[in-house]
Amino acid sequence: MSGHSTYVPKTALGKWFEARLPVVRLLHDTAVSYPTPRNLNALWTFGGILSAMLVVQIVTGIVLAMHYAADSRVAFQSVEGIMRDVNWGWLIRYLHSNGASMFFIAVYIHIFRGLYYGSYKAPREILWILGVIIYLLMMAAGFMGYVLPWGQMSFWGATVITNFFTAIPIIGQPIQTLLIGGFSVDNATLNRFFSLHYLIPFLIAGVVVLHIWALHVAGQNNPLGIDVKSDKDTVPFTPYATSKDVLWIVLFMIFYGWFVFYQPNFLGHPDNYIEANPLATPAHIVPEWYFLPFYAILRAIDFNIGPIDAKLGGVLAMFGAIAVLAFLPWLDTSKVRSGNFRPIFRVAFWVFAVNALFLGYLGSVKTDDIILGMQAVRWAQLSTAYYFAYFLIILPLLGYIEKPKPLPLSINDAILAKSAAGSAH
Amino acid sequence: MAETPAEPTRRDFLLHAAGAFGVVGVAAAAWPFIDQMNPDASTRALAAVEVDIAGVEPGQAITIMWRGKPVVIRNRTEKEVEEGKAVKLEDLKDPLARNANADANADATDANRAAAGKENILVMTKVCTHLGCIPLDESGEFGGWFCPCHGSVYDTAGRIRKGPAPENLPIPPYAFLTDTKIRIG
């Protein structure tokens, strides 16, 4: 769908530039004349929302770094200084910390949109894998950022997460020592996490450029999951998609603003307002909400599997839960993209979505809490089993056994049929 | 010219040799940029610490920092020692002593976990062997330590009995300088 360019420079300056660096042509083709399927629903605005959140995080982050000191003796106080003394520091700090949560809310909606409408299927595999890489980078950035205030959750989260690597036989311990730069999480760890937390968002921005490039080569998917067949199926990106994206970005910012102004600490953990203490682990240590499902998977493996002990098994399951996403384009064997035309898939998908939320809930409770007559850890094992079964068993099999509903001939046909049915009433 | 694959020429060798030198050069340049993240000289130079335990009565414990991690020195009560001795080796999840002062293959008997000649003194790194949290003193169903992070339980000799942690709490190298003074490290 990356058709030929329609840009024609009109002004003398435009022509002068065009002959030397055709950057205006690039922007015009990317953001103005780019053909967008005309049937996109609001779920397609989350790419724009995510771009906006990346900008918000980078801008507020750079500002915070002007006042923050990455030294374990003063880090906590410097954050309090931002809250109390820096002009508007409280606002910028809360925008950044809640911004991370909003970023993850948006990315989860974005991912589940792709899962439902088959946006990972040919020819969008590279687009999808670039997205998985961005997601991994986001988690690394989110984790390291949370360490910087040097509260109790910062310190012990850093300890637990870097200790994941010690589960790896032989090379695990040296890797952990390399990551934390000492015998335990300390100033050296904080120092380097600050540097990397600054670096990673720019890596993300770089991969986002590739992500958008891949999107514009393959063309956007749409709720019907069928290819664009003629010009009647599309509208130009500007003004149609641009204005819709802006509307939804504004709505999302209202949602974000409500948290920042009225519930800035709702999504955080109160123990991070206690300065890091290397001699005492808080009794209720819980990760940030956006890591909870994976945390539940980690804790679900409390048994040994042959030579793999529970510790390594949990770490493998947790990383495997993300790695399996990268292989999804080849695990889903159905030729039909959109879940709208796949009756059995729809059921499996919604069970998967509810299961993912349930895993998040299980990550927030204690493993031996009783839920509906069963220990939370047993529920987590069942949920983890379904998580992997969805990717490794259900999706590969469905392509062979499911009978999809008939697909419309084109996007335009489907819209005309819908409006005809509407006017008949 | 015939299409038969030509014998490798001396020019091919030059290309491969140049490429190989390039790879070695990149690797040599990359290593310092990786190794800079390993513990620096000041961290590696962390000296031993000396602790006075004269004031630690039976049933009491002190925790000191050694290499950024807490080391607990517990003066165990007779009951705790007896409980430690009463445990059969086959009931233990980790059969090894994990004692830097004993043989690497030593059994995790209570005697191998306690100080030589002072069976009431237990010195160990209080860092859970699961994912590195600090277990709580005098808690858990085995009368020893309980880790709040993922629920590992240690007994009165610091041996893992329940939960996801794979090993007993490690015992650092230490020595009695006098009857009441210990050097750790």
Side-chain angles (χ1 to χ4, degrees):
Chain A
M1 215 153 71
S2 54
H4 63 87
S5 178
T6 59
Y7 174 68
V8 184
K10 292 191 186 74
T11 63
L13 182 65
K15 285 173 187 157
W16 185 89
F17 235 95
E18 173 74 8
R20 287 160 180 82
L21 182 69
V23 68
V24 182
R25 175 183 296 280
L26 178 71
L27 290 175
H28 183 269
D29 294 347
T30 306
V32 179
S33 66
Y34 170 66
T36 312
R38 56 193 287 186
N39 61 336
L40 299 188
N41 61 34
L43 289 170
W44 263 265
T45 63
F46 278 83
I49 291 171
L50 283 163
S51 310
M53 287 315 302
L54 180 62
V55 172
V56 167
Q57 289 302 82
I58 288 179
V59 171
T60 54
I62 289 172
V63 170
L64 288 172
M66 294 180 187
H67 306 280
Y68 168 79
D71 182 308
S72 60
R73 290 165 299 184
V74 293
F76 190 84
Q77 283 78 6
S78 77
V79 174
E80 285 307 304
I82 289 169
M83 296 295 286
R84 293 152 196 256
D85 302 336
V86 175
N87 301 330
W88 301 100
W90 60 272
L91 175 66
I92 295 161
R93 196 265 177 126
Y94 279 149
L95 279 173
H96 195 71
S97 60
N98 284 280
S101 282
M102 296 302 130
F103 210 154
F104 276 96
I105 289 176
V107 88
Y108 284 132
I109 295 173
H110 191 69
I111 291 170
F112 275 88
R113 192 279 318 275
L115 287 176
Y116 182 78
Y117 292 110
S119 303
Y120 47 86
K121 293 189 193 186
R124 299 186 181 85
E125 300 96 323
I126 302 270
L127 173 62
W128 176 261
I129 290 170
L130 288 167
V132 175
I133 292 169
I134 295 171
Y135 179 47
L136 281 170
L137 289 170
M138 277 178 65
M139 289 199 283
F143 159 58
M144 292 188 193
Y146 196 47
V147 174
L148 303 184
W150 212 239
Q152 275 287 67
M153 286 297 149
S154 303
F155 184 91
W156 291 103
T159 299
V160 168
I161 289 177
T162 54
N163 258 298
F164 287 166
F165 294 92
T166 63
I168 304 167
I170 302 164
I171 56 165
Q173 191 61 56
I175 289 176
Q176 192 233 11
T177 305
L178 181 81
L179 284 178
I180 65 177
F183 304 107
S184 60
V185 170
D186 209 335
N187 190 46
T189 319
L190 176 63
N191 243 229
R192 66 192 52 189
F193 277 18
F194 178 60
S195 175
L196 295 173
H197 184 67
Y198 213 115
L199 167 71
I200 291 173
F202 296 99
L203 297 181
I204 293 177
V207 185
V208 166
V209 169
L210 296 180
H211 194 64
I212 294 173
W213 188 3
L215 172 76
H216 282 231
V217 171
Q220 276 172 295
N221 190 23
N222 64 82
L224 296 170
I226 57 177
D227 292 328
V228 167
K229 303 218 167 67
S230 71
D231 289 347
K232 285 181 186 169
D233 290 345
T234 63
V235 289
F237 191 79
T238 300
Y240 301 99
T242 328
S243 55
K244 189 164 157 182
D245 276 0
V246 169
L247 169 69
W248 279 88
I249 289 171
V250 169
L251 292 174
F252 191 81
M253 291 300 161
I254 293 171
F255 174 70
Y256 173 25
W258 182 79
F259 274 100
V260 170
F261 291 110
Y262 296 101
Q263 293 287 347
N265 291 304
F266 179 75
L267 296 163
H269 196 293
D271 278 14
N272 223 28
Y273 283 105
I274 302 170
E275 196 170 356
N277 178 2
L279 286 175
T281 307
H284 301 288
I285 174 167
V286 188
E288 287 277 82
W289 70 265
Y290 40 83
F291 293 134
L292 286 175
F294 299 104
Y295 182 66
I297 291 174
L298 167 80
R299 292 195 303 183
I301 312 298
D302 65 352
F303 47 85
N304 299 340
I305 309 161
I308 300 170
D309 65 15
K311 181 173 163 184
L312 179 60
V315 171
L316 288 177
M318 187 187 63
F319 283 112
I322 299 161
V324 73
L325 286 172
F327 299 95
L328 178 58
W330 296 276
L331 291 169
D332 185 344
T333 51
S334 171
K335 292 278 179 285
V336 176
R337 285 198 198 106
S338 172
N340 280 347
F341 301 99
R342 301 183 59 193
I344 310 177
F345 167 85
R346 283 174 74 136
V347 177
F349 169 84
W350 284 111
V351 174
F352 178 79
V354 171
N355 184 59
L357 291 174
F358 185 53
L359 271 174
Y361 167 72
L362 290 172
S364 72
V365 301
K366 289 198 215 130
T367 48
D368 46 6
D369 280 0
I370 303 295
I371 298 159
L372 301 175
M374 193 160 79
Q375 272 190 319
V377 64
R378 303 281 160 259
W379 282 112
Q381 284 162 359
L382 281 179
S383 273
T384 302
Y386 184 78
Y387 183 101
F388 283 102
Y390 177 79
F391 291 111
L392 300 176
I393 300 168
I394 296 174
L395 286 184
L397 276 183
L398 273 191
Y400 297 102
I401 60 173
E402 185 178 52
K403 187 175 183 301
K405 292 196 266 185
L407 294 171
L409 287 174
S410 74
I411 293 170
N412 193 40
D413 274 6
I415 292 169
L416 290 180
K418 205 172 171 185
S419 57
S423 58
H425 284 290
Chain B
M1 290 295 285
E3 286 294 310
T4 50
E7 286 287 302
T9 63
R10 290 197 285 179
R11 193 170 292 267
D12 288 334
F13 172 77
L14 277 176
L15 283 175
H16 287 296
F21 268 94
V23 169
V24 170
V26 169
W31 175 243
F33 285 88
I34 297 168
D35 194 37
Q36 51 80 20
M37 286 177 70
N38 270 318
D40 67 12
S42 71
T43 307
R44 288 190 312 252
L46 274 184
V49 286
E50 289 180 11
V51 197
D52 187 356
I53 60 162
V56 186
E57 299 290 329
Q60 290 185 333
I62 56 169
T63 300
I64 56 124
M65 288 286 273
W66 177 65
R67 290 185 166 184
K69 289 173 182 168
V71 170
V72 64
I73 302 164
R74 182 165 182 83
N75 189 344
R76 300 187 295 170
T77 60
E78 279 179 29
K79 180 167 165 283
E80 286 170 342
V81 175
E82 276 162 29
E83 279 173 14
K85 282 180 176 169
V87 180
K88 293 198 204 87
L89 273 180
E90 57 264 33
D91 290 341
L92 294 172
K93 283 183 69 173
D94 177 13
L96 296 176
R98 308 285 172 194
N99 186 343
N101 310 288
D103 190 68
N105 297 318
D107 291 332
T109 57
D110 189 81
N112 281 343
R113 298 274 304 164
K118 291 183 187 341
E119 63 179 10
N120 57 324
I121 301 291
L122 180 66
V123 181
M124 63 186 185
T125 308
K126 201 163 65 171
V127 173
C128 182
T129 58
H130 183 224
L131 295 172
C133 294
I134 311 300
L136 305 169
D137 291 308
E138 295 178 60
S139 51
E141 62 206 82
F142 292 93
W145 285 264
F146 172 75
C147 182
C149 282
H150 305 90
S152 294
V153 187
Y154 299 88
D155 67 13
T156 57
R159 294 170 297 198
I160 181 66
R161 303 298 294 275
K162 206 182 141 196
E167 293 174 9
N168 302 326
L169 292 173
I171 293 175
Y174 68 90
F176 275 90
L177 299 176
T178 69
D179 265 4
T180 59
K181 208 168 206 183
I182 303 180
R183 188 187 62 215
I184 297 167

